[in-house]
Amino acid sequence: DVVGCNSTHIFDMYILGYFLTLGSGLTLSLDMKCLTMLMCTPSVADIFLSDKSNNVKAMFVGGEAAIQGLEYRVTSFINGYGPTEASIQCTAGNSPDNIGYPLPSTILYVVHPDDGTLCPPGVSGELWVGGIGVGIGYHNRPELTAEKFIPDSFSTNSGMVYKTGDRVKWNEDGEIMFLGRFDYQVKLRGYRIELGEIQAELEKQEGVNGALVVVHDENLVAFVASGMDDSSQNDALVESLMAELKSDSCRLPSYMVPSLILVLAEFPLT
């Protein structure tokens, strides 16, 4: 197999891809050609899946929210999650809807941000990561280290946990659902709103390749990438999405439904 890892040498995913590939006796492609296996962020996956020189059968994505439908384009699909502070990866799953289960020797806690108690399934909180992969802190930043790396108060062992700042919840199958960042939380008309939850709901809908939600003039505005240049099709998608978000089947409360949805063919990349 030939593995392609689309990241710069200073990005932690490259370290993972480099050592996993060569340590397994596989071939690492430097020009991202002739690939049978792919490691990348979801937003660039289509570039390499559409390259006719590649025959990608297995794909690992991470670093950002997975895009719906990627799992159907390969035989084996892994959606991974993990901060650098916890040795790059600490969960893995086979669906873009969640970030999966803890890896071996990894402990995950979903902690209520107000009282520090463990959250039951279905209740969102901050993800704390424990286990052998947790780092010892930040170089020459003792105050930040003390804030983010703390003793594991839920275990009798003398280990440490890393406070990720990510908002997650357990689902009924014991998988972790990624909902966004605590620092992306906004307050609008008296309601505390997690923009990542709205984005996740939009990205679950058919015809949506990606979503971004912002607050503009005290209103929620959603930008959606459809992959289509046809304005009539994009207008129809807006109507469909708005109807879905306002339906009884949508889990978002009414105050989290965007006032405006703007559809683009694709998001500009830098």
Side-chain angles (χ1 to χ4, degrees), residues 140-229:
N140 287 339
R141 302 192 67 181
E143 293 182 359
L144 184 59
T145 295
E147 175 188 347
K148 304 294 286 186
F149 294 86
I150 64 173
D152 185 349
S153 59
F154 303 111
S155 173
T156 56
N157 298 327
S158 58
M160 303 291 286
V161 293
Y162 168 66
K163 301 169 63 177
T164 66
D166 290 329
R167 181 183 290 274
V168 302
K169 66 180 179 181
W170 296 104
N171 67 12
E172 61 273 13
D173 297 318
E175 299 165 305
I176 291 286
M177 307 287 293
F178 181 84
L179 303 175
R181 292 283 301 173
F182 273 90
D183 48 12
Y184 293 161
Q185 190 181 80
V186 298
K187 193 171 184 179
L188 187 63
R189 303 187 191 93
Y191 294 104
R192 291 193 178 276
I193 296 174
E194 175 54 49
L195 299 179
E197 288 192 50
I198 307 173
Q199 291 169 194
E201 189 67 25
L202 283 167
E203 289 175 344
K204 287 167 55 178
Q205 308 305 319
E206 185 177 354
V208 176
N209 294 339
L212 175 68
V213 179
V214 298
V215 176
H216 180 70
D217 290 339
E218 293 298 304
N219 288 295
L220 291 171
V221 179
F223 295 88
V224 169
S226 68
M228 300 182 294
D229 286 322

Side-chain angles (χ1 to χ4, degrees), residues 10-261:
I10 61 173
F11 183 35
D12 57 10
M13 183 181 280
Y14 185 84
I15 304 297
L16 182 66
Y18 182 89
F19 285 105
L20 277 179
T21 299
L22 300 184
S24 301
L26 304 177
T27 301
L28 180 67
S29 173
L30 299 181
D31 61 2
M32 301 298 291
K33 299 290 185 180
C34 303
L35 307 180
T36 60
M37 304 176 73
L38 174 63
M39 298 181 68
C40 65
T41 54
S43 58
V44 300
D46 184 67
I47 297 173
F48 306 107
L49 293 174
S50 301
D51 189 326
K52 294 183 179 180
S53 74
N54 296 330
N55 182 24
V56 178
K57 299 178 180 179
M59 177 167 54
F60 172 94
V61 297
E64 61 189 21
I67 297 172
Q68 296 289 324
L70 283 179
E71 71 274 25
Y72 300 121
R73 301 182 65 180
V74 291
T75 304
S76 176
F77 174 82
I78 297 177
N79 183 22
Y81 162 89
T84 304
E85 293 88 342
S87 298
I88 306 173
Q89 187 184 359
C90 54
T91 76
N94 303 116
S95 169
D97 293 328
N98 60 72
I99 54 176
Y101 302 97
L103 296 184
S105 301
T106 299
I107 303 171
L108 300 183
Y109 302 113
V110 180
V111 182
H112 197 286
D114 294 333
D115 57 19
T117 59
L118 294 178
C119 296
V123 177
S124 66
E126 183 180 11
L127 180 61
W128 294 8
V129 179
I132 61 175
V134 175
I136 60 175
Y138 300 107
H139 181 60
N140 287 339
R141 302 192 67 181
E143 293 182 359
L144 184 59
T145 295
E147 175 188 347
K148 304 294 286 186
F149 294 86
I150 64 173
D152 185 349
S153 59
F154 303 111
S155 173
T156 56
N157 298 327
S158 58
M160 303 291 286
V161 293
Y162 168 66
K163 301 169 63 177
T164 66
D166 290 329
R167 181 183 290 274
V168 302
K169 66 180 179 181
W170 296 104
N171 67 12
E172 61 273 13
D173 297 318
E175 299 165 305
I176 291 286
M177 307 287 293
F178 181 84
L179 303 175
R181 292 283 301 173
F182 273 90
D183 48 12
Y184 293 161
Q185 190 181 80
V186 298
K187 193 171 184 179
L188 187 63
R189 303 187 191 93
Y191 294 104
R192 291 193 178 276
I193 296 174
E194 175 54 49
L195 299 179
E197 288 192 50
I198 307 173
Q199 291 169 194
E201 189 67 25
L202 283 167
E203 289 175 344
K204 287 167 55 178
Q205 308 305 319
E206 185 177 354
V208 176
N209 294 339
L212 175 68
V213 179
V214 298
V215 176
H216 180 70
D217 290 339
E218 293 298 304
N219 288 295
L220 291 171
V221 179
F223 295 88
V224 169
S226 68
M228 300 182 294
D229 286 322
D230 189 304
S231 59
S232 61
Q233 288 182 303
N234 286 335
D235 290 342
L237 179 60
V238 170
E239 295 181 6
S240 172
L241 291 175
M242 195 63 79
E244 182 63 32
L245 294 180
K246 293 180 179 179
S247 69
D248 293 337
S249 61
C250 179
R251 65 185 181 87
L252 295 178
S254 59
Y255 61 83
M256 292 180 66
V257 174
S259 302
L260 179 66
I261 299 177

